[in-house]
Amino acid sequence: MREMEFKMERENLVQEGDSVTITEGVLPSAYYYTINPAVAMSANYTLRERLKSDHGIVKEIKHNDKGYYVVVQFDE
């Protein structure tokens, strides 16, 4: 199992246990991922860290002073 954290700007866009679809974005030297439809975005990852799955399950939603963070679990 692999877990990734995504930044979500507003609460209640997804709930724990939801199945989510992921889209990969490409930068010149990195990849980033978005929970569709534009719910939350990941940090940048190198080629070695590239995600192989296109869907996952929301494990946890965290809230702190910087905003909401969605932890998604993938079968990898």
Side-chain angles (χ1 to χ4, degrees):
M1 295 301 251
R2 176 178 176 180
E3 292 182 1
M4 288 177 68
E5 191 171 82
F6 295 79
K7 174 78 163 76
M8 183 170 65
E9 295 299 324
R10 297 183 320 239
E11 64 181 324
N12 298 325
L13 298 176
V14 294
Q15 304 298 321
E16 291 181 10
D18 285 356
S19 178
V20 293
T21 303
I22 307 298
T23 301
E24 180 180 75
V26 181
L27 298 170
S29 62
Y31 296 89
Y32 65 92
Y33 300 94
T34 305
I35 297 176
N36 290 327
V39 170
M41 184 177 278
S42 73
N44 294 337
Y45 291 90
T46 64
L47 177 62
R48 186 180 62 210
E49 301 168 315
R50 191 173 182 188
L51 185 63
K52 296 176 182 93
S53 299
D54 64 352
H55 64 280
I57 303 294
V58 176
K59 179 181 176 186
E60 180 182 5
I61 298 174
K62 302 175 186 178
H63 179 249
N64 61 30
D65 294 339
K66 295 181 180 181
Y68 297 91
Y69 292 88
V70 179
V71 178
V72 179
Q73 196 169 46
F74 299 95
D75 283 331
E76 287 195 8

